[in-house]
Structure formats: C-alpha cells, structure tokens
Amino acid sequence: MATTEAPPRRRETLDRAVIRFCGDSGDGMQITGSQFTNTAALYGNDLATFPDFPAEIRAPAGTLPGVSGFQINFSSSDVYTPGDSVDVLIAMNPAALKMNIADLKTGGILIVNTDNFKDTDLRKAQIVRNPLEDHSLDGYRVFAAELTKLTRLALKELGLDAKSMDRCKNFFALGMCYWLYNRPMDATVRWLEDKFKAKPKLVDANRLAMQAGYSYCEATEAFQVSYDIPPARLSPGTYRNINGNSALALGFVAASVRSGLPLFQGSYPITPASDVLHELSGYKDFGVTTFQAEDEIAAMAAAIGAAYSGSLAITTTSGPGMALKMEAIGLAVMTELPVVVCDIQRGGPSTGLPTKTEQADLWQALFGRNSEAPLPVIAPQTPGDCFWAAIEASRIAVRYMVPVIVLSDGYLANGAEPWRIPEVSELPDFPVHFRTEPEGFQAYMRDPETLARPWVKPGTPGLEHRIGGIEKQENTGNVNYEPLNHERMVRLRAAKVQAVAQDIPEIVPAGDTEGDLLVVGWGSTYGSITAALKAQRAKGRRVGHVHLRYLNPLPRNLGEVLGRYKKVVVAEMNMGQLLMVLRAKFLVDAVGLNKVQGKPFQQAEIEAKIEEMLK
Amino acid sequence: MTATLPVLTRKDFQTDQEVRWCPGCGDYAILAAVQSVFPELGIRRENFVVVSGIGCSSRFPYYMNTYGFHTIHGRAPAVATGVKLARPELEVWIATGDGDALSIGGNHTIHMLRRNVGVKVMLFNNRIYGLTKGQYSPTSEKGKKAKSTPYGSVDQPFNVLSLAIGAEATFVARSVDVFQPHLKATLKKAAAHRGSAFLEILQNCNIFNDGAWETLTDKDIKDDHVIALEHGQPLVFGKSRDKGIRMNGLNLEVVALGNGVSEKDLIVHDEKHPNPAYAFLLSRMEGQPGFPTPIGVLRAVEAPRYEDDVKAQIQGIVAKRGAGDLAALLKSGDVWDVR
C-alpha cells in the first residue's frame, strides 16, 4: 500500500539548540548570526554567542582563511557557553563545511548551499571529492538546497543585478532557520528597514529572500520537524541583548553620568577594541569627548592629560597596544592620576591572532611597567559584566587616584547575551572631590583611608603645583632622590593599591564552599567553568568554583578559601599566569588547565580535567 | 564674570625650587624671558599649564610657579592635547628640546601641529642631547662627533622650521636665547596666536655643545648671518643693512643694495601669506652658504583650533538631540520585559 501523503509535520519542544552559521567572509554570516540572536533574545531565550572572525578583511572568496562563523546557543534554561557541539550547521560553501563539520554532532542538521559546491569551489577549499556525493556526510541529516538560485528566483521582480541578489542569500538561510525554530521575523524586518533606509530596494530584497527561505521550508517536504524552544525563566526586568564592547561603552557613560565627570577617551583603532571607540564617539549628547590619537602612546598620554585636567579618562586597546602604553601607564602610577586602561585581549604574542580570543595579558597587566608600579586590575566575566566592570574601574581609579586596568577579551567583546537593564537608581554613586582649599595643601599629602593624593584641577587659584615622573618627596611632591624617601614612596604606592582590598567583596565560592576540588578562573572562562561545575555536581562531585573579578589586589580571604579544598585547578586561556601568581602568593600546589587555541574552553574540556583530578 | 585681573609680576611666576641647570646654560635666559612675558599676557596665573617631556629643556616646569606637568620623553604634545581637549580655556605651553620633540617625539609634534591644537611650543634647540651627556641629535650637523658618533654622524639633520611648516603649523617662529628683547617679543607673538604656535629657540649648551650658534650670536659677525623678519618690512640684513633677499624664479637670492638694486626689489615679508611654500622657502635659508638664518615669525595664519572644533561638534549634537538621558540610552534598541 503506497502512502500518498507525507507524514504530518511535527513540532518538538527542546530545551536548547546550538546553531552555527558559516560561510565566506563576504557571505554575511555575522549579520545572519546577529539577527538570529536578536530575535532569540526578544523571544525570551537565554543565550550566548561566539562570533569567530577570520583575521583578513577579505581573503580570496571561497578559501579556507576566508571562513567566518557565528555560533549561538539558545535555551529555555540558563545558558553559560555558546555550546560545545553544534545541532544545526549552515555551511554556505565547501571551505566553511570543511572548517566546521567536525563540530556538528552526529545526526545533526546540515544545511548546505549546493550552488556553491561546484568544482571551482571545491578546489578553492582544497577538497578533492565533493562531500555531498561521497557519503562522508551520511551521519548527518543533510538538507542540500540551491540557495543562490532560490534567492534569485525570489528577487527576480526587483530588477537587481546578480551580485546584489546573491548577497541576500544569507537572509534566505536566516529565513530557513526562523522556520526551523518557529521564530517571528518582524524584528529583522525592522532592522532591515532601519539599516537600508536610504536604499529601500535592499530592504525589499533581503526581506523577500528571508520570507522565501521561510516559505521554502514550509512548502518542502524535506523538513518534517520544526522546533520550539520556549522562553527562559529570567528574573523579572527589562532586557536587551548586549555584547561586551557595547556594555563597556555604556558602563563608562554611566560612570560619567553618576560621577558628574566629563568622559574622555583617547584610543587608537585595534582589533578587537575599536568598536568601543566607535560607540563612544556616537555619545556626544552625553558630552563624551573621543580622540582618535595618532598612535597608542598618544592615546594614553592624552588620557593622562585629560585626567590631570579633571576628566574621567579612559583608553581602550588590545595586547600590542598595551605594550606600547606601558611607559605612559607608569607615568600615571607615579603621578597618581585616575585613568582606566581597557585591554580587550586577543591571541598573541606580537600581532598574534587579532580576531581570536585569549587571556594571556595578565602578567603584562600586573607586571608590565618598569620598576615597582602596581595598580588595580579588574576582569569582567560575561559580556553584561563589562558594564559593571567599567563603572567599578572608574570608581576605584577616582577614589584611589590610580590607573586601573580592565582585562576583557575578544570573546566577551563580541559575544552577546541577554542583559537585564539596571534602573539608573541601581547604579553605584561615586562622589568625586576636587580640592580647592589652598590652606595646608601639599601635592602628595594623603587621605588616611585610601592613601590617595588630592585631585586638583588646573585653573584652581592658589593651588599651582608641578607633578611629574621623577620620584618625589613624600607629601610635598618636590623632586627628590633620597634613598629612604624613594623606598617610602614605593611602599606607599603599593600600600595604596593594597588598600583597595578593603573596598571589594570577599570571595564566596560557587558550588561546594569546601570540598575535593576548587576550579579557579578569571575573565571569560566564567561560562564554561560554571556549566562544567553544574554538571559535575549533578554527578555527585564535591567541587567549588571561584571566579576572580579582582586580580589585583586579590580578595582578602582568597588564601583561606583556597585552603578549604584538597585540590585546586586554575583554568586559563594562557600558559598558567594566574596559576603562578596564586602558587607564589599562597604557596598552594595548584595545577593548571591551559588552552591557547584562540577559542574558549568547552564545558567538556573542563569536566574532563575535573574528572581526571578526582580519579 | 572674572574679577579684575591681579597685577602679576615676574616674582609671581618664580618657584622656590633651586634651579639646577649648568652655570652658563642658555635655559636661564629663556626662563627669565618667559617669567617676564607671562605676567604681561593678561591671563590669570592659575590658568597656565606648562607641560614638558624629558631633557634639560623639560626641567622648565619646576621653575615656573604655575600648574606644571613633567611627562615622559617625547610625549608632551600628546598630554597637552588631552589637557586642551578636556579644558580648552587653559593656557598651555610646552617646553621641549631638539631630541624630545624631533626624535622620540616627532610623531606627536607633527600631529599636534597638523591638528592646530592651541598649545605654544618652545623648542630649545641646542643641537645635542644634553641631559644624557652628549649624544648627537636630529638637528646636529652632519659629521658631528659626539658620544655615540665618535667618527662623526652620518645623518642629515632636520630643518626644524621646514618640518613644522610641512606639518601644517599655523605659527612658525625662531628666536635666540641671548637675544633677550627679540625673544620676549617673539614669545608675546606666540602667546597671541590662537592655534598651535611653534617657536624654535636656539639655545647654547655650554657643557656639551658650546658655540653651536656662535656665528649667529657673536657680536662681530651676527648681523651678516641673521635676518630678523618683520611683517610688512623688506628682507634686509647686514651690519650696515646693505644686503637683501629677493625672489629669482623659485629661489631666494642674496643681493647687495646699491648699484641699481634697492629695497623695492626685495621680498616684503608677509607672515600671513596663504601659501606655506613662501614660509618654507624662507626656512630653507638656514644653513645655506651665503644666506642668513631667519629669525622672527615666518608664518602666522589663522585657522580653527582643534579643541574648538571638537567642542563645537559636541555642543552641536547636544543642541540638536538634547542632552543625553542615561535611562533612555540603556533601554535603547530592541528591549523586552520579563515579568
């Protein structure tokens, strides 16, 4: 008996899904991924993203170095990582397929654009046999479609040239994904209308392509199942999607508003920090002054000049720029001026991997200046946390009259998550006091609690004084080379940084507050470690997690907490930098879990290490 | 809004710090000139900021009773730019040297000039690195025997004023440490200039490069080797004022007055000449055999100050969009509520 009807369509409810869009840099994968992310966030899912950019602006089309990817993990429960393995892979060409297929889970959905799987495309990807024909993809559910042809068909009435039509095929793929996960398309339509408002034809083209992709899945029998991933139970509030760089920028605006200080940014373009400069340049209505300096050193020097003049001064950069700024940072330490220096870390050394993430600048932040030049170091742990880190760094810089380093990284900078927008009343207040009283003034007299020297704005009558990089006499601030004075000043500057410890919270470990193993991390490893910890504790293991937000000074009770566990492992995307600091400071026999591959830790990697250590 | 300006004197600008330049250093003369000029500028003392880099020149702020910032080698223009962007109303002066401004600081110098930041730069050129005890500098003559060039330097020096003009400087001038009246007058002109004012001050380092500018300062021969430019005046020099400069095609030419050549044939100095090539041509006289070295103001043209344009842009946006609302900013874009 022949069946004349296709089996009825099913809708399955899932707890989570991981989608990766990948294609040539020119295929618009970042836009596609961002749009899907935005829609998922508005829908109410918790999510985490991982954009994976190639280093070149535009490698030859179709080649392996040109592959660009975007991964999103979205769920109806808490999401901590972009996902260890992928459920749905959309590969726009053979190079993208080759670079990404290994991460697709067995039985996962693979959507490919067969129009880009011709012989020339295979050759560019250095592939000999067409994977669509050689059974190498038998383990997956493959949906091969002529995406380019279908897109052109959908747009044929618009009178566009072939190249313009082809540029819309990423929206066709997006439409397919919206169908697959039963998502509304109106947020993307709104975005198109805004982005292409000067070119309405492009609004229509992309919208039609997207709707065609959606309809294609609806009409075709190939897709029997679509999925529902219900909204997550996030705490009540108003939410937005945010990435780390944007959160950082907003945090500094908030700090400026709360403190009443005008914000000054001196920066030089560098991947992956440039977006902070771009965004802050658009906030002139908040009185923000942004200065694209001639080089990294000038950027920091100008920030110092602005801090000297009474502004909330910041500079943003990545590893190589940090290296250039070091002498100037030392000047800020010696002249005790408040400047926030943001290092959005990337793979190194030297030029390294500009678009890949790493967290190997910790030693540079702690020790990079000549001589004894300690300063506070703060590391945000999620994209949204970059907002709070910016405010906290500003507060400490101004209160203690000291430069502060914020260590973010490429993964936080470009990764996105839903973020509960705080009410302005929730933002910390930080009072700023400029000295105006000449009576009894000495340039380097100190506050008894913070050891900060007075902040005096030039233009204040009666308080004219000189500061500089040469060692100075305690209190008076006059140039002074005396041996005992120098040692006293070195110790005072160190004590001032140490005094910040009175002002920061004590550590409370996540998970078991004492037990067999403690995982220590800092920065963007937060998500992977949190996910791994949850899973391990569900398996009955007694493990805790300390995630350091303050790398200098360290929290007051850290030593005591480390002592509560039989074993300590420090997971870092470097060769063991925090590890060495903890071992040296606390004489704890901690071991390292070190990954320097330009990618975040997978939850599985951390779990494997925990299990190995508890065998 | 400001109360009447208190009458300021030289003493108001002197600090209690013992001046530690070598006896006989040209910097003393420059300090004296600056301390006598600042009180006459009609600016409240607390509004001055003196910024320096590293070098003997850069010890200057410690001897001026104003706000002062002794920064790091070469970076004074960048720090000063930050000060002016934050507080455009402050009066910012830089004390720097040939090494500080033109070697390590070359990049910051040219960009500050290009932007026309309203900072007055005093470049003390002694053709040597004094503080580090005697290496050659980017303005040392080719063949200079110094600590790091015992067999003589192999590089060509910068022509300082040509460089400044090439960097789009709107005010370019030169004076000499021992020409006190000329130095004071030129400092005043620099002070009056609204944008970047670049003033090279030929200075004698009597310990490590004594006599570098002797030909220009020795009372018997200086008049034949120096031409003092005056806006609106013909280019005449010489002890008996018997020589002049005239244009010959694209070149300058030294001529003897008399014998059919009169002042009418000479170039009349125009510091406001819109074409920087004119000032550039004048700057090339330095070091050319047979030509005098120009001192005074080569160029003084009006152009918008960087910090004013930056501020105006910000104010324009505030006027157009209204002052920013933090709550609205945080909630901008696609937001959703979770109950």
Side-chain angles (χ1 to χ4, degrees):
Chain A
M1 177 182 59
T3 33
T4 48
E5 282 173 23
R9 286 281 185 57
R10 286 181 358 253
R11 271 171 85 132
E12 265 181 36
T13 300
L14 295 177
D15 173 60
R16 46 148 257 168
V18 178
I19 304 182
R20 184 185 295 181
F21 301 89
C22 56
D24 192 71
S25 315
D27 285 341
M29 295 295 95
Q30 300 303 324
I31 288 179
T32 311
S34 306
Q35 281 306 304
F36 193 91
T37 302
N38 204 43
T39 298
L42 286 168
Y43 190 84
N45 295 125
D46 195 9
L47 57 88
T49 70
F50 177 45
D52 196 8
F53 307 97
E56 321 300 340
I57 301 291
R58 197 62 68 87
T63 59
L64 297 168
V67 174
S68 174
F70 189 108
Q71 179 164 320
I72 170 176
N73 178 5
F74 59 113
S75 172
S76 50
S77 38
D78 288 336
V79 171
Y80 300 106
T81 78
D84 282 3
S85 74
V86 176
D87 299 306
V88 177
L89 180 68
I90 296 101
M92 301 298 277
N93 66 19
L97 179 68
K98 182 170 173 179
M99 297 293 280
N100 290 277
I101 190 66
D103 295 324
L104 181 60
K105 70 166 196 229
T106 314
I109 294 174
L110 172 65
I111 299 174
V112 288
N113 177 15
T114 50
D115 285 326
N116 275 3
F117 270 74
K118 308 284 189 287
D119 284 337
T120 40
D121 304 302
L122 296 170
R123 244 183 290 119
K124 281 183 206 161
Q126 295 165 24
I127 294 174
V128 176
R129 289 176 332 201
N130 190 340
L132 297 175
E133 290 158 11
D134 69 354
H135 297 283
S136 60
L137 300 173
D138 283 354
Y140 311 104
R141 289 148 65 199
V142 181
F143 298 91
E146 300 165 297
L147 295 185
T148 313
K149 183 160 151 226
L150 289 165
T151 304
R152 286 192 193 178
L153 216 73
L155 305 186
K156 67 175 189 288
E157 305 298 325
L158 290 179
L160 294 167
D161 60 287
K163 201 163 164 195
S164 301
M165 287 195 286
D166 291 350
R167 260 197 233 115
C168 300
K169 63 184 188 298
N170 61 328
F171 274 82
F172 189 100
L174 180 62
M176 293 175 75
C177 288
Y178 281 152
W179 182 90
L180 203 53
Y181 290 95
N182 289 292
R183 294 293 149 120
M185 295 187 282
D186 48 294
T188 296
V189 172
R190 272 201 314 275
W191 179 85
L192 284 170
E193 283 165 355
D194 182 63
K195 177 155 178 88
F196 293 113
K197 55 174 170 280
K199 298 182 192 163
K201 214 167 210 181
L202 290 182
V203 174
D204 291 336
N206 285 293
R207 184 178 45 83
L208 286 171
M210 180 171 66
Q211 285 164 350
Y214 195 102
S215 309
Y216 173 78
C217 293
E218 184 70 22
T220 319
E221 292 171 1
F223 290 94
Q224 292 303 305
V225 193
S226 69
Y227 302 97
D228 280 312
I229 301 177
R233 271 205 321 275
L234 302 173
S235 332
T238 305
Y239 282 77
R240 59 177 284 174
N241 205 20
I242 205 164
N243 70 26
N245 273 356
S246 193
L248 200 67
L250 291 175
F252 285 119
V253 175
S256 166
V257 170
R258 292 303 272 175
S259 63
L261 297 169
L263 181 65
F264 178 92
Q265 178 190 18
S267 284
Y268 189 78
I270 183 170
T271 305
S274 310
D275 280 335
V276 186
L277 175 63
H278 301 157
E279 185 157 340
L280 283 175
S281 302
Y283 294 148
K284 297 195 191 317
D285 46 342
F286 287 87
V288 176
T289 302
T290 53
F291 172 55
Q292 181 182 308
E294 59 270 26
D295 62 33
E296 295 273 3
I297 302 175
M300 180 65 194
I304 289 175
Y308 173 74
S309 308
S311 295
L312 176 62
I314 72 168
T315 183
T316 56
T317 187
S318 189
M322 271 292 275
L324 288 168
K325 291 181 201 292
M326 276 307 171
E327 189 200 9
I329 297 173
L331 179 66
V333 169
M334 183 58 110
T335 52
E336 307 197 33
L337 285 170
V339 181
V340 181
V341 181
C342 302
D343 179 1
I344 321 293
Q345 302 164 94
R346 71 194 211 181
S350 186
T351 309
L353 301 101
T355 58
K356 309 294 180 187
T357 198
E358 198 161 274
Q359 49 175 189
D361 288 346
L362 178 61
W363 282 347
Q364 184 171 218
L366 293 173
F367 310 127
R369 281 122 344 252
N370 59 298
S371 186
E372 301 285 352
L375 46 73
V377 177
I378 293 176
Q381 44 204 40
T382 65
D385 193 34
C386 293
F387 175 85
W388 301 104
I391 297 176
E392 177 67 349
S394 305
R395 179 188 77 83
I396 290 176
V398 164
R399 182 156 197 251
Y400 293 83
M401 291 295 281
V402 70
V404 176
I405 292 177
V406 173
L407 287 176
S408 176
D409 67 30
Y411 172 40
L412 291 183
N414 295 308
E417 61 171 357
W419 182 63
R420 190 183 75 78
I421 303 170
E423 296 300 322
V424 172
S425 56
E426 288 174 64
L427 302 179
D429 219 357
F430 56 97
V432 177
H433 175 69
F434 289 106
R435 187 184 172 111
T436 54
E437 175 54 58
E439 183 67 39
F441 167 70
Q442 288 186 304
Y444 280 76
M445 57 197 295
R446 294 188 186 276
D447 177 285
E449 198 186 317
T450 62
L451 300 180
R453 71 176 191 87
W455 199 1
V456 176
K457 283 200 278 206
T460 311
L463 287 170
E464 293 89 339
H465 65 282
R466 275 64 56 199
I467 64 173
I470 300 188
E471 184 62 283
K472 41 196 44 60
Q473 186 180 45
E474 190 181 357
N475 294 322
T476 66
N478 293 328
V479 167
N480 189 290
Y481 300 102
E482 287 161 23
L484 289 178
N485 179 75
H486 175 52
E487 186 162 45
R488 172 104 180 107
M489 290 299 282
V490 167
R491 290 179 189 278
L492 265 173
R493 286 186 288 261
K496 184 180 72 172
V497 173
Q498 203 45 50
V500 175
Q502 73 196 336
D503 218 342
I504 66 183
E506 294 205 318
I507 288 285
V508 178
D512 293 291
T513 54
E514 56 180 49
D516 297 318
L517 180 88
L518 175 69
V519 182
V520 182
W522 63 277
S524 66
T525 54
Y526 175 78
S528 310
I529 300 176
T530 302
L533 197 85
K534 256 186 119 168
Q536 286 292 307
R537 290 187 76 233
K539 292 177 191 165
R541 299 209 166 80
R542 295 201 320 137
V543 287
H545 170 203
V546 160
H547 213 77
L548 293 174
R549 230 165 150 258
Y550 299 88
L551 280 316
N552 196 46
L554 292 166
R556 300 184 296 284
N557 65 336
L558 180 58
E560 182 269 316
V561 168
L562 293 172
R564 297 188 210 154
Y565 300 85
K566 299 205 182 72
K567 295 187 180 185
V568 177
V569 62
V570 184
E572 301 181 83
M573 292 187 290
N574 60 47
M575 295 296 285
Q577 297 191 3
L578 176 62
L579 175 69
M580 192 171 89
V581 169
L582 294 181
R583 288 178 64 93
K585 278 198 143 96
F586 300 108
L587 294 180
V588 58
D589 195 12
V591 303
L593 170 62
N594 305 103
K595 178 175 185 178
V596 270
Q597 297 174 20
K599 306 200 291 195
F601 275 106
Q602 293 188 332
Q603 175 183 336
E605 288 167 330
I606 299 179
E607 286 202 64
K609 184 69 177 178
I610 294 173
E611 288 176 6
E612 174 206 311
M613 288 184 70
L614 291 180
K615 252 207 302 264
Chain B
M1 179 206 95
T2 29
T4 23
L5 195 66
V7 174
L8 295 168
T9 67
R10 199 179 146 170
K11 241 177 153 322
D12 294 309
F13 287 90
Q14 290 169 335
T15 67
D16 60 3
Q17 294 298 290
E18 185 199 344
V19 182
R20 300 213 189 137
W21 289 314
C22 305
C25 174
D27 290 350
Y28 285 96
I30 303 173
L31 180 66
V34 172
Q35 283 174 338
S36 71
V37 164
F38 272 22
E40 298 173 8
L41 296 180
I43 298 170
R44 307 185 76 87
R45 192 181 66 181
E46 62 265 19
N47 290 332
F48 283 95
V49 182
V50 180
V51 184
S52 65
I54 297 289
C56 292
S57 64
S58 299
R59 298 302 176 103
F60 203 86
Y62 294 120
Y63 310 132
M64 290 291 294
N65 193 7
T66 61
Y67 284 96
F69 200 160
H70 182 203
T71 68
I72 43 179
H73 202 21
R75 318 298 173 189
V79 176
T81 300
V83 173
K84 290 252 52 177
L85 284 174
R87 305 276 303 284
E89 76 280 10
L90 292 174
E91 176 74 13
V92 179
W93 286 68
I94 286 177
T96 181
D98 40 307
D100 191 62
L102 303 175
S103 198
I104 185 169
N107 197 36
H108 307 308
T109 298
I110 60 175
H111 284 277
M112 189 192 70
L113 294 176
R114 170 181 68 85
R115 294 187 177 109
N116 202 33
V117 183
V119 174
K120 282 64 175 171
V121 179
M122 299 181 292
L123 194 162
F124 306 174
N125 184 4
N126 56 16
R127 310 191 89 173
I128 200 80
Y129 278 35
L131 189 65
T132 45
K133 304 198 170 181
Q135 297 76 27
Y136 80 117
S137 98
T139 59
S140 300
E141 61 276 22
K142 182 166 177 172
K144 180 70 179 172
K145 288 204 166 93
K147 289 271 177 65
S148 58
T149 51
Y151 300 106
S153 80
V154 180
D155 17 333
Q156 288 291 356
F158 272 133
N159 178 316
V160 178
L161 298 191
S162 298
L163 180 66
I165 294 162
E168 315 290 350
T170 55
F171 179 100
V172 179
R174 172 189 284 127
S175 189
V176 183
D177 55 359
V178 292
F179 294 173
Q180 276 290 295
H182 187 269
L183 178 56
K184 287 184 197 171
T186 316
L187 283 166
K188 284 217 183 93
K189 289 181 186 165
H193 185 71
R194 205 156 152 72
S196 290
F198 185 86
L199 171 57
E200 179 194 15
I201 304 174
L202 307 184
Q203 177 241 327
N204 190 48
C205 172
N206 60 317
I207 304 299
F208 294 109
N209 201 23
D210 198 20
W213 305 112
E214 219 165 38
T215 358
L216 308 183
T217 57
D218 179 294
K219 66 174 172 41
D220 294 323
I221 54 171
K222 67 182 170 74
D223 292 319
D224 290 319
H225 291 93
V226 174
I227 179 166
L229 304 172
E230 285 283 346
H231 179 65
Q233 297 300 318
L235 297 188
V236 174
F237 70 106
K239 202 157 194 165
S240 331
R241 297 187 60 78
D242 57 351
K243 291 190 271 264
I245 312 284
R246 75 172 173 196
M247 204 71 202
N248 185 355
L250 277 178
N251 298 306
L252 300 180
E253 185 176 55
V254 175
V255 290
L257 292 170
N259 288 338
V261 180
S262 77
E263 285 193 2
K264 280 203 279 294
D265 301 305
L266 303 179
I267 295 171
V268 173
H269 183 47
D270 180 7
E271 64 187 29
K272 299 185 197 308
H273 200 302
N275 189 347
Y278 164 70
F280 191 86
L281 212 46
L282 293 180
S283 73
R284 302 313 289 173
M285 287 199 282
E286 181 202 347
Q288 296 271 53
F291 280 87
T293 296
I295 64 171
V297 178
L298 277 73
R299 183 161 211 246
V301 295
E302 293 304 312
R305 288 192 324 179
Y306 180 63
E307 61 271 33
D308 293 334
D309 280 354
V310 169
K311 192 155 196 160
Q313 188 177 68
I314 293 172
Q315 286 169 342
I317 297 291
V318 173
K320 192 162 134 191
R321 282 199 229 151
D325 176 341
L326 181 61
L329 176 64
L330 294 177
K331 294 198 173 156
S332 60
D334 284 322
V335 298
W336 70 96
D337 285 311
V338 172
R339 308 211 182 278

